[in-house]
Amino acid sequence: MADVDADAIEAADEDEEFMLRTARPPPLVIKGVGNMTLFGLTNRFDNDFPPSLIGKIAKEEYQSTITRVNSLIGRAVPRSARWLVAGCLCCCCTAGLSFTPVVYLNKKTQSRIRGLLDHENSRIYQKLGFTWWLGKQKCATNNLKEYVILIETMDRVDVDRPD
């Protein structure tokens, strides 16, 4: 009886140790703070340095990455807004096909942001143990989804610990 209890306790300790090694904190969410949102993509992300990243990422690196993303979005969103207005004006004549350029520009902007974040990850953030990516998140006020930047902590390999 005592052997069974000791084995169960030892197995439980191993499970807890495994869970402690694999548990990750939730990703840090950077929401859009712009005044215009088209198809879930806002025209500006928050440039303020989050306090949870103090001591992990340099403030200048964070702000330069957000500034690059904001400049990329700042060029694309007004162009998409013009195409959206033109699509609304011509919607009856084209049976909705006039919205195709807006959808294409939005997908192109998303892929450019993802490419920029991949470049920044390989250049800076993977060395520091972070991964930035563009993800969708449900809005708090309504049932729609918006694009946010997620900063996720990567698992570090424990080199000192044997297998």
Side-chain angles (χ1 to χ4, degrees), residues 70-140:
N70 284 340
S71 67
L72 193 128
I73 292 173
R75 291 189 306 261
V77 170
R79 187 179 330 136
S80 295
R82 281 180 266 166
W83 277 103
L84 183 65
V85 169
C88 288
L89 294 175
C90 302
C91 181
C92 295
C93 301
T94 62
L97 290 176
S98 57
F99 290 116
T100 306
V102 180
V103 173
Y104 171 74
L105 287 173
N106 190 32
K107 288 184 188 250
K108 188 175 177 182
T109 304
Q110 290 173 25
S111 68
R112 284 184 177 173
I113 293 171
R114 286 188 178 104
L116 173 69
L117 292 177
D118 286 342
H119 175 71
E120 293 290 312
N121 281 335
S122 64
R123 191 173 68 93
I124 301 171
Y125 297 111
Q126 285 180 348
K127 297 171 188 169
L128 298 173
F130 292 97
T131 302
W132 289 45
W133 53 286
L134 186 68
K136 281 186 179 180
Q137 191 177 47
K138 190 174 181 181
C139 293

Side-chain angles (χ1 to χ4, degrees), residues 6 15 21-22 27 29 41 54-55 65 67 70 73 77 79 83 96 98 100 106-107 112 118 145-146 152 154 157:
D15 289 341
R21 281 188 285 155
T22 59
V29 178
L41 191 63
I54 293 175
T65 301
T67 302
N70 284 340
I73 292 173
V77 170
R79 187 179 330 136
W83 277 103
S98 57
T100 306
N106 190 32
K107 288 184 188 250
R112 284 184 177 173
D118 286 342
K145 292 196 175 197
E146 66 178 343
E152 194 171 63
M154 294 180 355
V157 178

Side-chain angles (χ1 to χ4, degrees), residues 146-162:
E146 66 178 343
Y147 286 96
V148 294
I149 295 177
L150 298 165
I151 303 174
E152 194 171 63
T153 306
M154 294 180 355
D155 288 335
R156 292 187 179 245
V157 178
D158 195 5
V159 180
D160 298 335
R161 177 174 239 146

Side-chain angles (χ1 to χ4, degrees), residues 59-72:
K59 186 175 183 179
E60 294 80 19
E61 291 172 347
Y62 172 84
Q63 289 180 341
S64 70
T65 301
I66 294 294
T67 302
R68 285 186 185 115
V69 170
N70 284 340
S71 67
L72 193 128

